[in-house]
Amino acid sequence: MPISIENALQEAAHLLTEHQSPSPRIDASVLLCHVLDKPSSYLYTWPDKVLTDAEQSEFDVLIQRRMLGEPVAYIIGYRDFWSLRLNVEPSTLIPRPDTERLVELALERLPADANSVLDLGTGTGAIALSIACERKDVQVMGVDLRSEAVALAERNQLENGIINAHFAQSSWFENIPAQTFNMIVSNPPYIDPEDPHLSQGDVCFEPKSALTASDHGLADIREICQQSPRFLADNGWLMIEHGYDQGDPVRTIFSDAGFIDVETLHDYAGLDRVTLGRFAN
């Protein structure tokens, strides 16, 4: 039976609500826009437009996938982040709005005469490409342990037309040539492997290696802080995203590694999210 855009959205949102989607109407709208290849404004401009059989069938399939918990970004294959549209794959984390706060803070503190930034654990390339997009005078390097993530970041670079970034495979600093950067940024794994939230919501579909770290989620942060001074130019900044309840221990880790001007700043929800510090050689 033919169904209108508005009715299709209502039915889909009802189904997603029954399956505990945290944002059923938004999820349904994003998936229908993907099927129709239209912007969200189209749904509200033409609510009475009837879907074709093919459109309705494809929409039903996508809603079923979302009902099973699969993240919307993996279903449609991309996520908008900062000013970019980024391809996403199950081999990498889905870029989140909280990480835009890290980009914002990095751009605020990146000196006018800076020429280099390093992004550790780049994943989709979200942080590196956003900085490169805003500061075309700066060369940005992104590294990731997984070759598939490097390939994805390079694809996102190409499709967004960004020429002042490059990507390489490396376990943190392991394969980075001897050089210094004006700033190092990272959204590393910081979740405790025993955290019960790992079995809930979108994160249960994301790679655990990109989410969890030993020592209550602090092991990778500690390694980055200890190694960063060798790769930072004089007065260079290190900025790390972390969990909302990790501000105190992360500041201690920064201070123990010799960083000064250490502080933790909030995300858009007012929660501790990014700790930063400066290293004076």
Side-chain angles (χ1 to χ4, degrees):
M1 177 179 175
I3 187 171
S4 68
I5 284 176
E6 179 58 28
N7 287 338
L9 288 174
Q10 288 179 351
E11 291 184 11
H14 177 71
L15 289 170
L16 293 176
T17 299
E18 290 183 336
H19 286 77
Q20 285 75 53
S21 167
S23 52
R25 180 76 183 197
I26 293 174
D27 292 353
S29 297
V30 170
L31 293 174
L32 188 53
C33 285
H34 179 70
V35 169
L36 299 176
D37 194 23
K38 300 288 186 182
S40 59
S41 59
Y42 183 88
L43 305 182
Y44 306 103
T45 304
W46 304 100
D48 296 326
K49 182 184 182 298
V50 175
L51 302 181
T52 67
D53 289 344
E55 289 168 344
Q56 185 173 343
S57 178
E58 182 180 356
F59 185 53
D60 288 344
V61 170
L62 300 190
I63 291 297
Q64 289 292 326
R65 291 173 64 182
R66 183 57 182 150
M67 287 167 59
L68 294 172
E70 188 174 353
V72 171
Y74 288 161
I75 295 173
I76 64 177
Y78 63 84
R79 167 63 65 88
D80 291 334
F81 180 90
W82 200 251
S83 61
L84 309 173
R85 174 154 291 183
L86 301 173
N87 297 292
V88 298
E89 297 175 354
S91 61
T92 61
L93 293 184
I94 300 167
R96 288 170 168 77
D98 285 341
T99 302
E100 293 185 347
R101 179 65 171 145
L102 174 57
V103 173
E104 183 180 285
L105 293 170
L107 291 170
E108 287 177 1
R109 287 164 174 76
L110 192 59
D113 60 351
N115 55 37
S116 59
V117 173
L118 173 64
D119 175 26
L120 295 168
T122 197
T124 61
I127 298 170
L129 293 174
S130 297
I131 294 173
C133 178
E134 299 293 337
R135 287 291 302 268
K136 295 180 173 57
D137 57 320
V138 173
Q139 291 296 314
V140 183
M141 179 180 188
V143 300
D144 201 284
L145 175 64
R146 294 152 297 165
S147 59
E148 58 268 36
V150 174
L152 180 61
E154 290 175 335
R155 179 180 162 202
N156 283 326
Q157 176 188 2
L158 179 64
E159 293 189 7
N160 282 282
I162 296 171
I163 61 174
N164 57 315
H166 66 283
F167 298 94
Q169 187 174 2
S170 179
S171 175
W172 303 134
F173 297 94
E174 187 175 289
N175 296 328
I176 297 176
Q179 59 185 297
T180 58
F181 301 87
N182 300 108
M183 178 177 286
I184 298 174
V185 294
S186 184
N187 177 18
Y190 57 73
I191 300 177
D192 188 321
E194 303 302 319
D195 192 317
H197 295 95
L198 289 169
S199 61
Q200 303 171 12
D202 288 358
V203 295
C204 66
F205 284 81
E206 295 179 282
K208 295 297 182 288
S209 62
L211 289 166
T212 66
S214 59
D215 189 19
H216 306 289
L218 297 171
D220 289 322
I221 292 175
R222 181 172 285 105
E223 180 173 353
I224 291 169
C225 286
Q226 290 173 346
Q227 295 192 43
S228 286
R230 295 188 297 115
F231 292 87
L232 278 171
D234 191 31
N235 289 311
W237 288 95
L238 172 64
M239 312 182 74
I240 295 181
E241 179 177 339
H242 54 75
Y244 72 93
D245 58 351
Q246 295 176 319
D248 286 343
V250 173
R251 285 193 299 276
T252 298
I253 291 171
F254 267 69
S255 297
D256 289 347
F259 287 89
I260 60 175
D261 298 334
V262 176
E263 61 178 322
T264 299
L265 298 172
H266 293 165
D267 60 21
Y268 302 121
L271 302 173
D272 284 358
R273 187 60 59 189
V274 176
T275 293
L276 52 86
R278 184 168 56 86
F279 194 84
N281 292 321

